[in-house]
Amino acid sequence: MRTYQELVACGQSAALRADFVMGVIGERKNSDTYRQAAIAQRYAKKENVTISNYRKLLYDINGSAVPDNYSANHKCAAAFFPKFVLQEVQYLLGNGCTFEDDTIKDKLQANSDFDNVMQEAARYALVDGVCYGFRNLDHVELFRATEFAPVYDEENGAIMAGVRWWQVDSGKPLRCTLYEIDGYTDYIRREGEELTILREKRAYKLTPVAMQDDGTVIYNGENYPTFPIVPLYGNYEKQSELIGIRETIDCYDLILSGFANDLDEASMLYWTLENCGGMDDIDLAKFKQRMRTVGVANLDGGDSGAKAESHTIDVPYESRKEYLDILERRLYDDAMAFDYKAIASGAATATQIKAAYTNLNLKANQLEYCVNRFIQALCNVAGIDDTVIPTYKRDSIINEMEATQAIMLAANYLDDETIINKLPFLTPDEVEACLERRNVEGSAMYTPLNAAQAGAEANTGIVMGE
């Protein structure tokens, strides 16, 4: 692994620094982190790598293996992994995050797009294992684990530099950027050429200060107090959420695909041939394919008495369905995901719903910790007070009537702001707007909330204010 000390040792030599950049990219592509992230990205796109590479084989009379192009070979890929990732991200960040200081979001991300950026960053982190956020002047850009390679300090393990690369196609130029504390340098490698500098190192923040007579603008360069690229990890282990459940997903997909193949093979129809010992696997497969497509076959056995006889058996449905159900339940348990089927039957109480969310809450707590560290690091780069921790309203299923009744029964002991904040059917923006309207109307006016309190008095016998 190339380190920051090795980059410093390159000095200002353009050739040595270019070799360092290419070495960092090569090491990253050969790392376990890159390989796992590349595989996880395919699963996140509903592409099962294992069954995509699965091939049925036949053997000829000489024992040589050839692809089986005659029998059914369905490849069914279930969307468990993208569903688990989407569920965790939206559960924690679906309603965005809230700061005590409303201006922090605008300082971190221009155009008030910070919540969307955080959702995208969290999704990348859960799929790849890590996502990198680059503080670029007034907004945050995201780099995936398959396009950015960090360069660590040998002494304290901190990220002191990094290389981002991209290439439209294998025959197109390779573009990459070396990020350092004191600026960044753009490189390019055209086909058949070595890596060369496209643009010399420049500061991260350029401010125009003057314009010459010929129209040339003079800029004042400024950098950040720390390295402007910070990592967001999806969990404490700093690895993709696919690890640990991929094998179970593969097992589910292979069984489901095999079930589809059996149904396609005419309800497990098979043939027995007599006096046809000279046929190898390929000949038998051709015979089977002809019977499926044409329905008849010519067995010219002469005096050998060759004949064919068909047999049918029932598809083993119940055992496969039961095992698929077992695998599905295990996937939800191992992924610590919420399974709506657990509360889909009947009117679930608040206690039942809360119990069903136990695993997802534990997992979201872990992601929340990682997100908070990421936001604090971005605030530190941007020169914002990094001690402010955001809050989140988790997007979960609740029994709204039961929750609202509980709030109204306790309304005598709560202030109006707390009551409105606790109402489950209001979004954070609606809560803020409601509070503003109540402040304008005045606390003495009769409002819907006062009516609800009056109803609570009638139901409980408690007089508000006593």
PDB file of all heavy atoms in Angstrom, residues 124-154:
ATOM      1  N   TYR A 124     -24.616   4.675  -0.890  1.00  0.00           N
ATOM      2  CA  TYR A 124     -23.307   4.258  -1.373  1.00  0.00           C
ATOM      3  C   TYR A 124     -22.512   3.571  -0.264  1.00  0.00           C
ATOM      4  O   TYR A 124     -21.824   2.570  -0.501  1.00  0.00           O
ATOM      5  CB  TYR A 124     -22.518   5.470  -1.880  1.00  0.00           C
ATOM      6  CG  TYR A 124     -23.037   6.076  -3.161  1.00  0.00           C
ATOM      7  CD1 TYR A 124     -22.645   7.358  -3.560  1.00  0.00           C
ATOM      8  CD2 TYR A 124     -23.920   5.387  -3.986  1.00  0.00           C
ATOM      9  CE1 TYR A 124     -23.107   7.925  -4.738  1.00  0.00           C
ATOM     10  CE2 TYR A 124     -24.391   5.947  -5.153  1.00  0.00           C
ATOM     11  CZ  TYR A 124     -23.982   7.213  -5.523  1.00  0.00           C
ATOM     12  OH  TYR A 124     -24.452   7.768  -6.698  1.00  0.00           O
ATOM     13  N   ALA A 125     -22.590   4.111   0.952  1.00  0.00           N
ATOM     14  CA  ALA A 125     -21.823   3.551   2.064  1.00  0.00           C
ATOM     15  C   ALA A 125     -22.297   2.147   2.427  1.00  0.00           C
ATOM     16  O   ALA A 125     -21.486   1.262   2.732  1.00  0.00           O
ATOM     17  CB  ALA A 125     -21.922   4.472   3.279  1.00  0.00           C
ATOM     18  N   LEU A 126     -23.605   1.923   2.390  1.00  0.00           N
ATOM     19  CA  LEU A 126     -24.130   0.599   2.727  1.00  0.00           C
ATOM     20  C   LEU A 126     -23.797  -0.425   1.645  1.00  0.00           C
ATOM     21  O   LEU A 126     -23.524  -1.589   1.944  1.00  0.00           O
ATOM     22  CB  LEU A 126     -25.639   0.675   2.931  1.00  0.00           C
ATOM     23  CG  LEU A 126     -26.122   1.469   4.147  1.00  0.00           C
ATOM     24  CD1 LEU A 126     -27.641   1.556   4.165  1.00  0.00           C
ATOM     25  CD2 LEU A 126     -25.618   0.835   5.435  1.00  0.00           C
ATOM     26  N   VAL A 127     -23.829   0.006   0.394  1.00  0.00           N
ATOM     27  CA  VAL A 127     -23.535  -0.920  -0.711  1.00  0.00           C
ATOM     28  C   VAL A 127     -22.032  -1.191  -0.803  1.00  0.00           C
ATOM     29  O   VAL A 127     -21.590  -2.349  -0.819  1.00  0.00           O
ATOM     30  CB  VAL A 127     -24.062  -0.356  -2.043  1.00  0.00           C
ATOM     31  CG1 VAL A 127     -23.611  -1.238  -3.209  1.00  0.00           C
ATOM     32  CG2 VAL A 127     -25.578  -0.271  -2.017  1.00  0.00           C
ATOM     33  N   ASP A 128     -21.231  -0.133  -0.859  1.00  0.00           N
ATOM     34  CA  ASP A 128     -19.788  -0.273  -1.075  1.00  0.00           C
ATOM     35  C   ASP A 128     -19.012  -0.547   0.207  1.00  0.00           C
ATOM     36  O   ASP A 128     -17.890  -1.048   0.152  1.00  0.00           O
ATOM     37  CB  ASP A 128     -19.220   0.987  -1.716  1.00  0.00           C
ATOM     38  CG  ASP A 128     -19.836   1.280  -3.074  1.00  0.00           C
ATOM     39  OD1 ASP A 128     -20.653   0.456  -3.535  1.00  0.00           O
ATOM     40  OD2 ASP A 128     -19.526   2.323  -3.658  1.00  0.00           O
ATOM     41  N   GLY A 129     -19.580  -0.171   1.332  1.00  0.00           N
ATOM     42  CA  GLY A 129     -18.843  -0.241   2.592  1.00  0.00           C
ATOM     43  C   GLY A 129     -18.341   1.116   3.029  1.00  0.00           C
ATOM     44  O   GLY A 129     -18.142   1.361   4.214  1.00  0.00           O
ATOM     45  N   VAL A 130     -18.124   2.023   2.067  1.00  0.00           N
ATOM     46  CA  VAL A 130     -17.648   3.369   2.374  1.00  0.00           C
ATOM     47  C   VAL A 130     -18.005   4.292   1.214  1.00  0.00           C
ATOM     48  O   VAL A 130     -18.084   3.872   0.051  1.00  0.00           O
ATOM     49  CB  VAL A 130     -16.117   3.378   2.614  1.00  0.00           C
ATOM     50  CG1 VAL A 130     -15.383   2.930   1.351  1.00  0.00           C
ATOM     51  CG2 VAL A 130     -15.626   4.741   3.075  1.00  0.00           C
ATOM     52  N   CYS A 131     -18.272   5.555   1.543  1.00  0.00           N
ATOM     53  CA  CYS A 131     -18.479   6.602   0.556  1.00  0.00           C
ATOM     54  C   CYS A 131     -17.650   7.796   0.997  1.00  0.00           C
ATOM     55  O   CYS A 131     -17.528   8.064   2.203  1.00  0.00           O
ATOM     56  CB  CYS A 131     -19.959   6.971   0.457  1.00  0.00           C
ATOM     57  SG  CYS A 131     -20.311   8.396  -0.608  1.00  0.00           S
ATOM     58  N   TYR A 132     -17.087   8.518   0.064  1.00  0.00           N
ATOM     59  CA  TYR A 132     -16.219   9.653   0.389  1.00  0.00           C
ATOM     60  C   TYR A 132     -16.903  10.958  -0.020  1.00  0.00           C
ATOM     61  O   TYR A 132     -17.379  11.097  -1.149  1.00  0.00           O
ATOM     62  CB  TYR A 132     -14.873   9.518  -0.318  1.00  0.00           C
ATOM     63  CG  TYR A 132     -14.123   8.264   0.063  1.00  0.00           C
ATOM     64  CD1 TYR A 132     -14.257   7.095  -0.689  1.00  0.00           C
ATOM     65  CD2 TYR A 132     -13.297   8.230   1.175  1.00  0.00           C
ATOM     66  CE1 TYR A 132     -13.584   5.941  -0.339  1.00  0.00           C
ATOM     67  CE2 TYR A 132     -12.619   7.083   1.534  1.00  0.00           C
ATOM     68  CZ  TYR A 132     -12.771   5.938   0.774  1.00  0.00           C
ATOM     69  OH  TYR A 132     -12.103   4.789   1.131  1.00  0.00           O
ATOM     70  N   GLY A 133     -16.952  11.891   0.933  1.00  0.00           N
ATOM     71  CA  GLY A 133     -17.544  13.192   0.666  1.00  0.00           C
ATOM     72  C   GLY A 133     -16.474  14.252   0.487  1.00  0.00           C
ATOM     73  O   GLY A 133     -15.623  14.436   1.355  1.00  0.00           O
ATOM     74  N   PHE A 134     -16.502  14.940  -0.644  1.00  0.00           N
ATOM     75  CA  PHE A 134     -15.517  15.974  -0.973  1.00  0.00           C
ATOM     76  C   PHE A 134     -16.165  17.338  -0.822  1.00  0.00           C
ATOM     77  O   PHE A 134     -17.122  17.664  -1.522  1.00  0.00           O
ATOM     78  CB  PHE A 134     -15.005  15.768  -2.397  1.00  0.00           C
ATOM     79  CG  PHE A 134     -14.185  16.909  -2.941  1.00  0.00           C
ATOM     80  CD1 PHE A 134     -13.234  17.549  -2.158  1.00  0.00           C
ATOM     81  CD2 PHE A 134     -14.364  17.348  -4.244  1.00  0.00           C
ATOM     82  CE1 PHE A 134     -12.490  18.609  -2.653  1.00  0.00           C
ATOM     83  CE2 PHE A 134     -13.626  18.402  -4.758  1.00  0.00           C
ATOM     84  CZ  PHE A 134     -12.686  19.036  -3.952  1.00  0.00           C
ATOM     85  N   ARG A 135     -15.639  18.128   0.093  1.00  0.00           N
ATOM     86  CA  ARG A 135     -16.131  19.492   0.291  1.00  0.00           C
ATOM     87  C   ARG A 135     -15.572  20.372  -0.816  1.00  0.00           C
ATOM     88  O   ARG A 135     -14.397  20.777  -0.792  1.00  0.00           O
ATOM     89  CB  ARG A 135     -15.685  20.002   1.662  1.00  0.00           C
ATOM     90  CG  ARG A 135     -15.967  21.476   1.931  1.00  0.00           C
ATOM     91  CD  ARG A 135     -17.447  21.769   2.010  1.00  0.00           C
ATOM     92  NE  ARG A 135     -17.707  23.189   2.225  1.00  0.00           N
ATOM     93  CZ  ARG A 135     -18.921  23.708   2.303  1.00  0.00           C
ATOM     94  NH1 ARG A 135     -19.977  22.913   2.202  1.00  0.00           N
ATOM     95  NH2 ARG A 135     -19.085  24.993   2.496  1.00  0.00           N
ATOM     96  N   ASN A 136     -16.415  20.687  -1.804  1.00  0.00           N
ATOM     97  CA  ASN A 136     -15.987  21.456  -2.970  1.00  0.00           C
ATOM     98  C   ASN A 136     -16.616  22.843  -2.924  1.00  0.00           C
ATOM     99  O   ASN A 136     -17.710  23.076  -3.442  1.00  0.00           O
ATOM    100  CB  ASN A 136     -16.377  20.724  -4.250  1.00  0.00           C
ATOM    101  CG  ASN A 136     -15.753  21.348  -5.484  1.00  0.00           C
ATOM    102  OD1 ASN A 136     -15.022  22.331  -5.390  1.00  0.00           O
ATOM    103  ND2 ASN A 136     -16.030  20.768  -6.641  1.00  0.00           N
ATOM    104  N   LEU A 137     -15.931  23.755  -2.258  1.00  0.00           N
ATOM    105  CA  LEU A 137     -16.320  25.158  -2.126  1.00  0.00           C
ATOM    106  C   LEU A 137     -17.631  25.327  -1.351  1.00  0.00           C
ATOM    107  O   LEU A 137     -17.610  25.565  -0.149  1.00  0.00           O
ATOM    108  CB  LEU A 137     -16.407  25.830  -3.499  1.00  0.00           C
ATOM    109  CG  LEU A 137     -16.521  27.359  -3.475  1.00  0.00           C
ATOM    110  CD1 LEU A 137     -15.341  27.988  -2.752  1.00  0.00           C
ATOM    111  CD2 LEU A 137     -16.662  27.916  -4.880  1.00  0.00           C
ATOM    112  N   ASP A 138     -18.791  25.166  -2.014  1.00  0.00           N
ATOM    113  CA  ASP A 138     -20.063  25.398  -1.343  1.00  0.00           C
ATOM    114  C   ASP A 138     -20.997  24.195  -1.383  1.00  0.00           C
ATOM    115  O   ASP A 138     -22.175  24.292  -1.072  1.00  0.00           O
ATOM    116  CB  ASP A 138     -20.783  26.597  -1.974  1.00  0.00           C
ATOM    117  CG  ASP A 138     -21.110  26.355  -3.447  1.00  0.00           C
ATOM    118  OD1 ASP A 138     -20.594  25.370  -4.019  1.00  0.00           O
ATOM    119  OD2 ASP A 138     -21.870  27.152  -4.028  1.00  0.00           O
ATOM    120  N   HIS A 139     -20.464  23.031  -1.782  1.00  0.00           N
ATOM    121  CA  HIS A 139     -21.302  21.838  -1.841  1.00  0.00           C
ATOM    122  C   HIS A 139     -20.451  20.594  -1.602  1.00  0.00           C
ATOM    123  O   HIS A 139     -19.217  20.666  -1.528  1.00  0.00           O
ATOM    124  CB  HIS A 139     -22.012  21.742  -3.202  1.00  0.00           C
ATOM    125  CG  HIS A 139     -21.077  21.572  -4.361  1.00  0.00           C
ATOM    126  ND1 HIS A 139     -20.360  22.621  -4.898  1.00  0.00           N
ATOM    127  CD2 HIS A 139     -20.733  20.476  -5.083  1.00  0.00           C
ATOM    128  CE1 HIS A 139     -19.621  22.183  -5.904  1.00  0.00           C
ATOM    129  NE2 HIS A 139     -19.829  20.885  -6.034  1.00  0.00           N
ATOM    130  N   VAL A 140     -21.120  19.457  -1.487  1.00  0.00           N
ATOM    131  CA  VAL A 140     -20.451  18.183  -1.218  1.00  0.00           C
ATOM    132  C   VAL A 140     -20.597  17.282  -2.437  1.00  0.00           C
ATOM    133  O   VAL A 140     -21.710  17.062  -2.926  1.00  0.00           O
ATOM    134  CB  VAL A 140     -21.050  17.481   0.020  1.00  0.00           C
ATOM    135  CG1 VAL A 140     -20.371  16.139   0.264  1.00  0.00           C
ATOM    136  CG2 VAL A 140     -20.919  18.375   1.246  1.00  0.00           C
ATOM    137  N   GLU A 141     -19.478  16.771  -2.926  1.00  0.00           N
ATOM    138  CA  GLU A 141     -19.485  15.782  -4.005  1.00  0.00           C
ATOM    139  C   GLU A 141     -19.157  14.417  -3.415  1.00  0.00           C
ATOM    140  O   GLU A 141     -18.361  14.304  -2.481  1.00  0.00           O
ATOM    141  CB  GLU A 141     -18.460  16.151  -5.076  1.00  0.00           C
ATOM    142  CG  GLU A 141     -18.767  17.453  -5.801  1.00  0.00           C
ATOM    143  CD  GLU A 141     -17.745  17.763  -6.880  1.00  0.00           C
ATOM    144  OE1 GLU A 141     -16.917  16.872  -7.186  1.00  0.00           O
ATOM    145  OE2 GLU A 141     -17.752  18.895  -7.397  1.00  0.00           O
ATOM    146  N   LEU A 142     -19.762  13.382  -3.977  1.00  0.00           N
ATOM    147  CA  LEU A 142     -19.612  12.030  -3.446  1.00  0.00           C
ATOM    148  C   LEU A 142     -18.779  11.173  -4.381  1.00  0.00           C
ATOM    149  O   LEU A 142     -18.997  11.164  -5.597  1.00  0.00           O
ATOM    150  CB  LEU A 142     -20.990  11.388  -3.239  1.00  0.00           C
ATOM    151  CG  LEU A 142     -21.952  12.143  -2.310  1.00  0.00           C
ATOM    152  CD1 LEU A 142     -23.298  11.437  -2.246  1.00  0.00           C
ATOM    153  CD2 LEU A 142     -21.353  12.292  -0.919  1.00  0.00           C
ATOM    154  N   PHE A 143     -17.816  10.449  -3.802  1.00  0.00           N
ATOM    155  CA  PHE A 143     -16.982   9.506  -4.550  1.00  0.00           C
ATOM    156  C   PHE A 143     -17.251   8.098  -4.025  1.00  0.00           C
ATOM    157  O   PHE A 143     -17.266   7.875  -2.811  1.00  0.00           O
ATOM    158  CB  PHE A 143     -15.500   9.826  -4.390  1.00  0.00           C
ATOM    159  CG  PHE A 143     -15.103  11.207  -4.843  1.00  0.00           C
ATOM    160  CD1 PHE A 143     -13.982  11.832  -4.318  1.00  0.00           C
ATOM    161  CD2 PHE A 143     -15.850  11.888  -5.794  1.00  0.00           C
ATOM    162  CE1 PHE A 143     -13.610  13.103  -4.731  1.00  0.00           C
ATOM    163  CE2 PHE A 143     -15.487  13.160  -6.221  1.00  0.00           C
ATOM    164  CZ  PHE A 143     -14.366  13.768  -5.681  1.00  0.00           C
ATOM    165  N   ARG A 144     -17.424   7.147  -4.943  1.00  0.00           N
ATOM    166  CA  ARG A 144     -17.665   5.765  -4.545  1.00  0.00           C
ATOM    167  C   ARG A 144     -16.340   5.034  -4.329  1.00  0.00           C
ATOM    168  O   ARG A 144     -15.277   5.486  -4.754  1.00  0.00           O
ATOM    169  CB  ARG A 144     -18.510   5.045  -5.592  1.00  0.00           C
ATOM    170  CG  ARG A 144     -19.832   5.736  -5.882  1.00  0.00           C
ATOM    171  CD  ARG A 144     -20.836   4.820  -6.512  1.00  0.00           C
ATOM    172  NE  ARG A 144     -21.292   3.798  -5.581  1.00  0.00           N
ATOM    173  CZ  ARG A 144     -22.345   3.009  -5.803  1.00  0.00           C
ATOM    174  NH1 ARG A 144     -23.036   3.133  -6.924  1.00  0.00           N
ATOM    175  NH2 ARG A 144     -22.709   2.092  -4.927  1.00  0.00           N
ATOM    176  N   ALA A 145     -16.433   3.877  -3.691  1.00  0.00           N
ATOM    177  CA  ALA A 145     -15.227   3.109  -3.373  1.00  0.00           C
ATOM    178  C   ALA A 145     -14.550   2.567  -4.615  1.00  0.00           C
ATOM    179  O   ALA A 145     -13.376   2.185  -4.562  1.00  0.00           O
ATOM    180  CB  ALA A 145     -15.572   1.956  -2.429  1.00  0.00           C
ATOM    181  N   THR A 146     -15.262   2.530  -5.743  1.00  0.00           N
ATOM    182  CA  THR A 146     -14.696   2.026  -6.991  1.00  0.00           C
ATOM    183  C   THR A 146     -14.148   3.135  -7.874  1.00  0.00           C
ATOM    184  O   THR A 146     -13.766   2.871  -9.023  1.00  0.00           O
ATOM    185  CB  THR A 146     -15.766   1.234  -7.764  1.00  0.00           C
ATOM    186  OG1 THR A 146     -16.946   2.036  -7.883  1.00  0.00           O
ATOM    187  CG2 THR A 146     -16.106  -0.069  -7.043  1.00  0.00           C
ATOM    188  N   GLU A 147     -14.107   4.359  -7.366  1.00  0.00           N
ATOM    189  CA  GLU A 147     -13.564   5.464  -8.154  1.00  0.00           C
ATOM    190  C   GLU A 147     -12.627   6.362  -7.352  1.00  0.00           C
ATOM    191  O   GLU A 147     -12.071   7.316  -7.908  1.00  0.00           O
ATOM    192  CB  GLU A 147     -14.700   6.316  -8.724  1.00  0.00           C
ATOM    193  CG  GLU A 147     -15.559   6.998  -7.683  1.00  0.00           C
ATOM    194  CD  GLU A 147     -16.641   7.877  -8.290  1.00  0.00           C
ATOM    195  OE1 GLU A 147     -16.526   8.213  -9.490  1.00  0.00           O
ATOM    196  OE2 GLU A 147     -17.590   8.210  -7.563  1.00  0.00           O
ATOM    197  N   PHE A 148     -12.443   6.060  -6.071  1.00  0.00           N
ATOM    198  CA  PHE A 148     -11.572   6.884  -5.243  1.00  0.00           C
ATOM    199  C   PHE A 148     -10.716   5.980  -4.360  1.00  0.00           C
ATOM    200  O   PHE A 148     -11.207   5.012  -3.771  1.00  0.00           O
ATOM    201  CB  PHE A 148     -12.382   7.837  -4.364  1.00  0.00           C
ATOM    202  CG  PHE A 148     -11.531   8.699  -3.474  1.00  0.00           C
ATOM    203  CD1 PHE A 148     -10.909   9.838  -3.974  1.00  0.00           C
ATOM    204  CD2 PHE A 148     -11.334   8.369  -2.144  1.00  0.00           C
ATOM    205  CE1 PHE A 148     -10.117  10.631  -3.155  1.00  0.00           C
ATOM    206  CE2 PHE A 148     -10.556   9.152  -1.322  1.00  0.00           C
ATOM    207  CZ  PHE A 148      -9.942  10.281  -1.823  1.00  0.00           C
ATOM    208  N   ALA A 149      -9.421   6.312  -4.291  1.00  0.00           N
ATOM    209  CA  ALA A 149      -8.475   5.556  -3.467  1.00  0.00           C
ATOM    210  C   ALA A 149      -7.845   6.498  -2.443  1.00  0.00           C
ATOM    211  O   ALA A 149      -7.164   7.448  -2.828  1.00  0.00           O
ATOM    212  CB  ALA A 149      -7.394   4.919  -4.336  1.00  0.00           C
ATOM    213  N   PRO A 150      -8.062   6.270  -1.144  1.00  0.00           N
ATOM    214  CA  PRO A 150      -7.447   7.125  -0.127  1.00  0.00           C
ATOM    215  C   PRO A 150      -5.970   6.799   0.059  1.00  0.00           C
ATOM    216  O   PRO A 150      -5.539   5.667  -0.168  1.00  0.00           O
ATOM    217  CB  PRO A 150      -8.248   6.793   1.132  1.00  0.00           C
ATOM    218  CG  PRO A 150      -8.702   5.386   0.918  1.00  0.00           C
ATOM    219  CD  PRO A 150      -8.917   5.229  -0.567  1.00  0.00           C
ATOM    220  N   VAL A 151      -5.215   7.773   0.470  1.00  0.00           N
ATOM    221  CA  VAL A 151      -3.793   7.605   0.788  1.00  0.00           C
ATOM    222  C   VAL A 151      -3.634   7.937   2.268  1.00  0.00           C
ATOM    223  O   VAL A 151      -3.899   9.064   2.690  1.00  0.00           O
ATOM    224  CB  VAL A 151      -2.902   8.517  -0.072  1.00  0.00           C
ATOM    225  CG1 VAL A 151      -1.435   8.349   0.312  1.00  0.00           C
ATOM    226  CG2 VAL A 151      -3.100   8.199  -1.554  1.00  0.00           C
ATOM    227  N   TYR A 152      -3.203   6.948   3.051  1.00  0.00           N
ATOM    228  CA  TYR A 152      -3.165   7.087   4.502  1.00  0.00           C
ATOM    229  C   TYR A 152      -1.782   7.509   4.999  1.00  0.00           C
ATOM    230  O   TYR A 152      -0.752   7.227   4.375  1.00  0.00           O
ATOM    231  CB  TYR A 152      -3.552   5.765   5.178  1.00  0.00           C
ATOM    232  CG  TYR A 152      -4.970   5.327   4.888  1.00  0.00           C
ATOM    233  CD1 TYR A 152      -5.237   4.407   3.868  1.00  0.00           C
ATOM    234  CD2 TYR A 152      -6.036   5.818   5.632  1.00  0.00           C
ATOM    235  CE1 TYR A 152      -6.539   3.992   3.602  1.00  0.00           C
ATOM    236  CE2 TYR A 152      -7.329   5.413   5.378  1.00  0.00           C
ATOM    237  CZ  TYR A 152      -7.576   4.500   4.359  1.00  0.00           C
ATOM    238  OH  TYR A 152      -8.863   4.094   4.090  1.00  0.00           O
ATOM    239  N   ASP A 153      -1.802   8.147   6.149  1.00  0.00           N
ATOM    240  CA  ASP A 153      -0.573   8.497   6.844  1.00  0.00           C
ATOM    241  C   ASP A 153      -0.073   7.276   7.611  1.00  0.00           C
ATOM    242  O   ASP A 153      -0.846   6.602   8.288  1.00  0.00           O
ATOM    243  CB  ASP A 153      -0.825   9.656   7.810  1.00  0.00           C
ATOM    244  CG  ASP A 153       0.458  10.245   8.373  1.00  0.00           C
ATOM    245  OD1 ASP A 153       1.211   9.496   9.033  1.00  0.00           O
ATOM    246  OD2 ASP A 153       0.702  11.447   8.171  1.00  0.00           O
ATOM    247  N   GLU A 154       1.214   6.980   7.491  1.00  0.00           N
ATOM    248  CA  GLU A 154       1.779   5.808   8.157  1.00  0.00           C
ATOM    249  C   GLU A 154       1.737   5.931   9.679  1.00  0.00           C
ATOM    250  O   GLU A 154       1.647   4.926  10.385  1.00  0.00           O
ATOM    251  CB  GLU A 154       3.232   5.598   7.716  1.00  0.00           C
ATOM    252  CG  GLU A 154       3.401   5.289   6.242  1.00  0.00           C
ATOM    253  CD  GLU A 154       4.865   5.167   5.863  1.00  0.00           C
ATOM    254  OE1 GLU A 154       5.708   5.234   6.774  1.00  0.00           O
ATOM    255  OE2 GLU A 154       5.155   5.016   4.663  1.00  0.00           O
TER     256      GLU A 154
END
